[in-house]
Amino acid sequence: MRTGLLRMIGAATVAYGAVAVYRPDWMARPVGMTDPQGGTHRHTAMALRPLAWRDAVSGLSMLLAPRGPALVTATAVRIASDVGDAVLFGRTVSGRVRRAAAVGSALGWAALTTAALAGGGCDEPARADGSSRRVRPGRVQRTGKPNE
């Protein structure tokens, strides 16, 4: 798990969600939910704000959750939200290019977050011999001494 990268993704998600709560046209414009002048109807804005709050809160959870099961759970919720958005966009966004961009963006964030969750070693503490590879308890280290 690359905790630092997960925290950065969380921070970016908080920022995007917070801005989108205030300016729902940030979410509406890329998926074609604005009027010809680029404005967002108040009913559309009302429907999009809960998604923006979801993003902000899930990002905040990733930012603040302690490392371990809580961070894994917060990250899984974020990934599931992005995959769900991709499915929704794929079924509802009009226009092939716009649909592909919306789906690609959602799946891109899901992939980045999944890679950060699955990745290891980047921010794990180094051992005395300078390596960052973890040794399971009870295994013999390179020095020939058992790991405690």
Side-chain angles (χ1 to χ4, degrees), residues 116-131:
L117 182 62
C122 185
D123 56 6
E124 293 176 6
R127 296 186 320 181
D129 67 356
S131 71

Side-chain angles (χ1 to χ4, degrees), residues 97-124:
V97 173
R98 181 175 279 150
R99 183 181 322 112
V103 170
S105 176
L107 289 179
W109 280 103
L112 175 65
T113 308
T114 300
L117 182 62
C122 185
D123 56 6
E124 293 176 6

Side-chain angles (χ1 to χ4, degrees), residues 16-52 89 98:
Y16 176 81
V19 169
V21 165
Y22 180 69
R23 303 262 335 236
D25 54 307
W26 272 43
M27 293 180 92
R29 192 173 299 117
V31 295
M33 296 178 71
T34 57
D35 60 29
Q37 292 78 30
T40 304
H41 190 277
R42 65 185 183 94
H43 292 131
T44 303
M46 182 179 66
L48 290 175
R49 281 193 172 103
L51 295 175
F89 295 154
R98 181 175 279 150

Side-chain angles (χ1 to χ4, degrees), residues 50-144:
L51 295 175
W53 278 112
R54 176 206 69 188
D55 285 354
V57 171
S58 68
L60 189 62
S61 296
M62 288 175 65
L63 196 57
L64 300 178
R67 185 180 174 152
L71 181 56
V72 169
T73 300
T75 302
V77 168
R78 181 71 251 145
I79 293 166
S81 296
D82 287 333
V83 170
D85 289 348
V87 170
L88 179 68
F89 295 154
R91 297 185 55 85
T92 60
V93 173
S94 60
R96 190 178 345 181
V97 173
R98 181 175 279 150
R99 183 181 322 112
V103 170
S105 176
L107 289 179
W109 280 103
L112 175 65
T113 308
T114 300
L117 182 62
C122 185
D123 56 6
E124 293 176 6
R127 296 186 320 181
D129 67 356
S131 71
S132 63
R133 187 176 149 260
R134 288 186 175 186
V135 177
R136 294 183 196 157
R139 298 281 178 132
V140 176
Q141 295 182 21
R142 291 181 206 163
T143 62

